Amino acid sequence: MDKILVVDDDLGIQKQLKWSFSGYDVIFAEDRTSAIAQLRRFEPKVVTLDLGLPPDPSNATEGLATLEEILALAPQTKVIVVTGNNDKKNALKAVNLGAYDFYQKPIDSDTIQILVSRAINLFNLEMENRHLAEVAPSMDKIIGQSEGLLAASRKAERIAQTDISTLLLGESGTGKEVFARSIHEHSLRKDKAFVAINCASIPENLLESELFGYEKGAFTGANKTTPGKIETAQNGTLFLDEIGDMPIGLQAKMLRFLQERVIERVGGRSEIPVNIRVICATHRDIPSMVAEQTFREDLFYRVGEISIIIPPLKDRDNDVVLLAKTFLVQYNEEFKTKIKGFSGSAIKAMRQHKWPGNIRELQNKLKSAVIMAEGTHIQAEDLSLLVRDEGPGIDTLNLREVREQAESRAIRNAFLVAEHNMSKTAELLGVTRPTLYSLIEKYHLEDVKIGS
C-alpha cells in the first residue's frame, strides 16, 4: 500500500486527512523533527505539509525549512504544501523551492485526493523509469515510458544485432538520430564508425560526391581523390537522415549500392566493395511520394525492410517530464548552473503544451530556461509557456470534438500495438479496413498514414 506522510499539528486536520486517504497507508507527524524522522523511517511517496508548524504556527518559516530538508533527503518525494486561505505568497514560494503542488484551506476531500493520486502516479512513473534504466540499459539513450515509445524501443532492441535495413519514421525533432545511434551502439558493429549525413541539408549537386566520394580531376576543384561518407562508414553504420529529400536522380545509384554493396566514386570506373549497415530516417510520407513518383518504390522497399515509427512528443503522455529532468542534469553541468528542478506550474505547462517541435523544441526551451531562471526551480514563464485553466469549457463539452479526440487516440494506440499493421489495427479496433481508412482520412492522422 502506498505511504503518505501528513505533517500537521492540528489533530482535526489529521483525522480528516486520514479519512480522505483511506486507500493509503497514512503516517502522521506534528513538527519538523518528527516529520524528518517519519520520512527516514517510512520513505513515503507523498507528503502533505502544513506550512504553519510549531514553534511558530502563524509563520511559514518552519514549514518552508521542513520542505527544504525533506527535498534534500528525498528529492523524489512529492510534497503538497497546505496553507491558509490568504497565504498564496508562501504557497508559491514553496512551489519555487520544489514542492509538487499547493493546496489552500479549507480542505476539500475530493480535491486533495486528486492531487495526491496524481502525485503518486508521477512518483511511480519516475521510479519505474529509473528501474528500467538499471535492469534494461540496452537502449539507455531512449528515455520514456509511453506505450508508443516503448513499442518503438523494443523493436529497435530486437533488430539491433542484425544488419537488416531500417527506416525510422517520425516528425522532425522526435529523436530519430538518437534511435539510430542506439541501434548502432548495441549492434555487432558498435566498435566501428557511425557516419551520419542529412540528405536535406546538402545541395543536390554536391550530395552525390558527398555520399560516394570523387576521383581527382572529376570536376573543377577536385584536387585529390576523396572518399565519401559511404566509404568512411566501412564496417560500421551509415545513417541517412531525411532520405525522403534525396533527389530522384540519385536514388537509382543509391539503390544499386544497397543491392550490390559496391560503389563507384564520381569520375571513377572501379567498383569498391562496401560492408556497412544502413539506417534511414524521414519525416515525409514515403508511400504518398511513391504514388506521386517522387520516390522510387524499389528503393522504399530496400531501405524499409523494417520500419519503426517514433511517436511525437505530444502523444507520449508524461515522457515530457522525464525528458525534461534528464536534460536538466545535462544542462546544469554544461552551463555550470544549479537549478534543482521544476515548479508545479512548469510541469503542468509542459504537459499541456503540444510541442510542435518535439524533443528539439523542449531542449531549446530548457537551455534558455536554465540560463535565464532566477530561482532554484524553473517556472512556466522561464520556459515561455503558459498554464491553461483546465476547468470545463466549450472545447471539452463539444461532443463532436470529444468523439474525434477519443477515436484519434484509440486509432493511434491500436496502430502502435499492432506495429503499424493496418489489418491488425482494424481487428483490434473492431472495424473493417475500409472504415479504418475512412477514419484516418477524416481525422487527418498523418502519423498513422506514414506507416500504412
Side-chain angles (χ1 to χ4, degrees), residues 105-222:
K105 296 177 182 177
I107 289 175
D108 175 75
S109 179
D110 291 339
T111 303
I112 203 162
Q113 281 179 27
I114 291 172
L115 285 177
V116 167
S117 175
R118 286 178 175 174
I120 285 178
N121 286 339
L122 178 59
F123 182 98
N124 290 337
L125 183 69
E126 292 174 349
M127 183 173 65
E128 187 176 357
N129 194 69
R130 290 193 300 272
H131 175 68
L132 283 175
E134 292 170 0
V135 300
S138 54
M139 289 289 161
D140 50 355
K141 289 185 178 179
I142 301 173
I143 300 165
Q145 278 290 285
S146 60
E147 186 177 356
L149 186 83
L150 288 177
S153 183
R154 284 193 294 267
K155 203 167 186 180
E157 186 177 348
R158 285 199 297 270
I159 58 103
Q161 296 201 359
T162 72
D163 271 344
I164 193 165
S165 295
T166 306
L167 180 60
L168 305 175
L169 300 168
E171 296 177 5
S172 295
T174 50
K176 295 188 287 293
E177 185 167 345
V178 172
F179 263 82
R181 287 186 181 276
S182 294
I183 291 170
H184 169 73
E185 288 169 6
H186 297 91
S187 73
L188 300 176
R189 300 177 182 270
K190 62 183 178 182
D191 296 325
K192 304 299 181 181
F194 176 88
V195 178
I197 184 169
N198 190 312
C199 300
S201 65
I202 299 173
E204 182 175 341
N205 60 330
L206 298 179
L207 184 57
E208 181 179 5
S209 58
E210 189 73 17
L211 280 169
F212 293 92
Y214 53 87
E215 297 288 346
K216 181 179 179 180
F219 50 81
T220 303

Side-chain angles (χ1 to χ4, degrees), residues 366-380:
L366 274 177
K367 285 181 181 180
S368 175
V370 166
I371 295 170
M372 302 303 296
E374 296 181 355
T376 58
H377 285 72
I378 290 174
Q379 307 296 319

Side-chain angles (χ1 to χ4, degrees), residues 287-431:
S288 294
M289 294 180 68
V290 169
E292 296 164 2
Q293 297 185 346
T294 55
F295 197 90
R296 292 181 62 114
E297 184 175 17
D298 45 8
L299 180 59
F300 171 50
Y301 290 124
R302 177 62 65 177
V303 299
E305 292 174 331
I306 287 284
S307 295
I308 298 177
I309 299 174
I310 304 171
L313 190 53
K314 65 182 173 62
D315 292 338
R316 289 177 54 179
D317 303 321
N318 284 316
D319 282 358
V320 64
V321 178
L322 298 175
L323 285 163
K325 291 185 175 181
T326 301
F327 294 143
L328 178 59
V329 173
Q330 296 175 12
Y331 299 154
N332 267 333
E333 185 175 343
E334 180 179 346
F335 300 115
K336 310 300 180 187
T337 51
K338 295 181 180 180
I339 304 296
K340 292 181 179 179
F342 299 88
S343 69
S345 66
I347 289 175
K348 188 174 182 180
M350 286 191 292
R351 285 178 175 154
Q352 290 178 341
H353 189 57
K354 296 301 183 183
W355 299 109
N358 293 295
I359 297 173
R360 192 174 294 123
E361 180 187 1
L362 173 63
Q363 289 174 318
N364 290 343
K365 286 188 180 297
L366 274 177
K367 285 181 181 180
S368 175
V370 166
I371 295 170
M372 302 303 296
E374 296 181 355
T376 58
H377 285 72
I378 290 174
Q379 307 296 319
E381 53 266 28
D382 295 326
L383 294 162
S384 300
L385 296 177
L386 296 175
V387 180
R388 299 193 308 273
D389 183 2
E390 292 183 324
I394 190 63
D395 290 341
T396 58
L397 297 178
N398 185 296
L399 284 177
R400 179 187 58 78
E401 293 187 13
V402 170
R403 187 182 304 113
E404 177 178 341
Q405 291 169 11
E407 289 189 347
S408 297
R409 178 176 288 275
I411 291 169
R412 285 193 173 100
N413 286 342
F415 187 63
L416 292 169
V417 171
E419 297 185 335
H420 62 271
N421 180 298
M422 296 304 283
S423 296
K424 190 175 179 181
T425 301
E427 182 181 335
L428 289 171
L429 292 167
V431 298

